[in-house]
Amino acid sequence: MTNKLKDITKSEVFTGVLLIIATIVSLIIANSRFGQAYNNFFTYPIIGEFNVHLIINDFLMAIFFLFVGLEIKHEILYGRLSSFKKASFPIIAAIGGVLLPAIIFTIINLGTPFSDGIGIPISTDIAFVVGIFMILEHKLNPLLKIFLLSLAVVDDLISILVIGVLYSSNINVWCLLIAMIILLILFAMARNKIDNITIYLLVGLVLWFFIYYSGVHATISGVLLASAIPSKKFKKSKESMLNRLVHKLAPICNLFILPLFALCNTGIVLDLNENFSLDHTLVLGIIAGLVVGKPLGIMLFTWVATKLKITEKPKGVDWLSVLPVSILAGIGFTMSIFVSEIAFKGNHELINLSKISILLSAVISIIITYIVATMINFYKKKEPNKPNLQK
């Protein structure tokens, strides 16, 4: 019974379901008579300027970004992104899935005060997307799970760069300089084969402090720390520090940080009387970017790249199978919500509107994925002797 419970909590489906539950709970509470108490709790000051909301979004999410950074590093060194042949198809898909939503959002919001939201529709939520993929596993090509994971990893890397470049302001040069010195110390520790996770995390905490006060978004410290974590196994260790830390952080991030983030950031007040006429381009830009731009960018870029012989589809995969998975990538959720919090910081109305758009996009993407996958399966069963659009 205990082993079965462990298997359930480790499953990708469980993380996705947990995120859905946290979102539903926060929506119910925010729109009930406990809505004010909900807001008061997350805005309650803990230490100085740090309230519960800020601790979750700036500190706990830095730990999540550390986890993501470690996974990206592992994939680049040893995994699905370790060679051009393995990486080219999902990398090109991710680039298309970022550029086209950004272009669509920019065109719709050109000359409006919402242009800062360009980073919102470019993201794919790894945990949520893979969870939904596993729920719809019987309707999707299982070979595309690796493609989707790789795409989401590259997508996250691009999103992290966007956060670092677009959403950093009022740079404190001295704090940034100290942060860079601390990063060099971390690399020196790795070079000298210091094999103690606690020491790296404590130095990483100091790094977070100076990154936070430098004006660069604090979550970037997690990625910087990940870049310095040793990836090779030392003589006395059975496993590399990178792998050990990934195993330790996976349950913390998937079962605690991500659901807590969802609980904190999806408490949207659904006001039916709200006037959307003034902000309709923001809503349209996000939904069109995620629901239309994501799959269109992924399909278009990969199709053109295969025609130009730059890359090739994974074996056993046809274009009809890629389509529903590309649509599923339109679930931005965690990363999109996170970017909306940064992009429109201090503007509660725009943040709220962005979150509604992100949630709607996720629901629409899931529904369309289900319908398209069902239709494709029906077509393939009905016409088994016809070519499966491999070319």
Side-chain angles (χ1 to χ4, degrees):
M1 182 69 180
T2 306
N3 290 334
K4 192 174 181 181
L5 187 63
K6 283 182 180 178
D7 290 339
I8 291 170
T9 55
K10 285 181 180 179
S11 73
E12 288 134 337
V13 175
F14 185 76
T15 304
V17 170
L18 209 57
L19 282 171
I20 294 169
I21 291 170
T23 301
I24 292 170
V25 169
S26 67
L27 283 169
I28 291 170
I29 294 173
N31 290 277
S32 71
R33 60 192 179 92
F34 299 106
Q36 191 57 50
Y38 168 91
N39 289 326
N40 290 341
F41 173 77
F42 285 111
T43 54
Y44 186 80
I46 304 296
I47 304 171
E49 66 187 88
F50 295 97
N51 55 32
V52 177
H53 180 270
L54 196 146
I55 288 171
I56 292 169
N57 282 30
D58 283 54
F59 181 70
L60 292 184
M61 284 302 285
I63 297 172
F64 170 70
F65 272 58
L66 166 61
F67 175 63
V68 171
L70 291 169
E71 288 197 319
I72 291 170
K73 184 174 180 177
H74 181 269
E75 293 301 331
I76 290 171
L77 292 175
Y78 312 111
R80 296 178 287 263
L81 306 176
S82 60
S83 69
F84 182 79
K85 188 176 179 181
K86 289 180 182 179
S88 58
F89 194 75
I91 286 176
I92 290 166
I95 292 169
V98 166
L99 284 179
L100 216 58
I103 291 167
I104 289 171
F105 183 90
T106 302
I107 291 170
I108 293 172
N109 288 280
L110 204 61
T112 71
F114 315 127
S115 56
D116 284 349
I118 188 173
I120 298 172
I122 70 171
S123 306
T124 296
D125 186 300
I126 294 179
F128 211 142
V129 165
V130 175
I132 299 299
F133 184 97
M134 297 308 293
I135 291 170
L136 301 177
E137 191 176 16
H138 63 291
K139 291 185 176 294
L140 302 171
N141 187 332
L143 295 173
L144 284 168
K145 181 186 172 185
I146 292 173
F147 162 72
L148 185 61
L149 276 168
S150 304
L151 183 154
V153 166
V154 178
D155 191 289
D156 270 4
L157 180 58
I158 297 171
S159 296
I160 289 164
L161 291 173
V162 168
I163 290 169
V165 174
L166 293 185
Y167 301 118
S168 298
S169 58
N170 300 321
I171 302 297
N172 184 315
V173 178
W174 286 109
C175 283
L176 193 60
L177 184 62
I178 294 169
M180 292 303 101
I181 292 169
I182 294 167
L183 184 62
L184 290 174
I185 291 169
L186 284 164
F187 278 113
M189 287 164 57
R191 189 176 178 83
N192 285 283
K193 299 182 180 181
I194 295 175
D195 191 19
N196 188 311
I197 291 175
T198 305
I199 293 174
Y200 281 89
L201 293 180
L202 288 173
V203 177
L205 183 62
V206 180
L207 176 67
W208 176 89
F209 177 86
F210 283 102
I211 290 287
Y212 177 83
Y213 284 104
S214 73
V216 175
H217 200 272
T219 49
I220 300 300
S221 63
V223 182
L224 294 175
L225 175 58
S227 69
I229 297 294
S231 58
K232 292 182 179 179
K233 186 174 69 173
F234 296 140
K235 286 183 180 180
K236 294 181 181 180
S237 305
K238 294 180 180 179
E239 199 176 15
S240 71
M241 186 184 295
L242 188 151
N243 288 339
R244 278 182 282 149
L245 196 51
V246 165
H247 295 325
K248 287 178 184 294
L249 290 177
I252 296 170
C253 290
N254 294 334
L255 305 180
F256 175 66
I257 293 177
L258 286 179
L260 188 60
F261 175 85
L263 194 66
C264 170
N265 290 280
T266 56
I268 305 160
V269 178
L270 304 173
D271 186 2
L272 298 176
N273 297 316
E274 190 170 349
N275 183 8
F276 292 101
S277 60
L278 297 175
D279 309 320
H280 70 281
T281 56
L282 175 61
V283 175
L284 185 60
I286 293 171
I287 294 176
L290 286 168
V291 177
V292 179
K294 270 284 178 185
L296 190 59
I298 291 167
M299 294 296 292
L300 182 62
F301 272 57
T302 50
W303 183 79
V304 170
T306 53
K307 290 297 178 184
L308 295 174
K309 307 292 184 185
I310 297 170
T311 187
E312 58 182 38
K313 295 193 310 298
K315 289 180 181 179
V317 170
D318 55 56
W319 288 114
L320 279 180
S321 300
V322 177
L323 179 59
V325 175
S326 301
I327 297 167
L328 195 61
I331 302 174
F333 201 70
T334 305
M335 287 297 287
S336 293
I337 290 172
F338 183 68
V339 173
S340 69
E341 287 274 348
I342 305 169
F344 302 123
K345 190 175 182 180
N347 193 324
H348 179 73
E349 185 183 341
L350 292 185
I351 291 172
N352 205 52
L353 205 57
S354 298
K355 290 178 182 179
I356 292 172
S357 307
I358 293 161
L359 291 180
L360 279 173
S361 300
V363 172
I364 294 167
S365 294
I366 292 168
I367 292 170
I368 296 176
T369 300
Y370 181 84
I371 293 169
V372 170
T374 302
M375 290 173 66
I376 289 170
N377 284 336
F378 178 76
Y379 167 80
K380 287 183 176 180
K381 286 176 184 177
K382 192 176 180 181
E383 308 288 350
N385 297 319
K386 285 196 174 182
N388 61 357
L389 302 183
Q390 286 284 352
K391 296 182 180 179

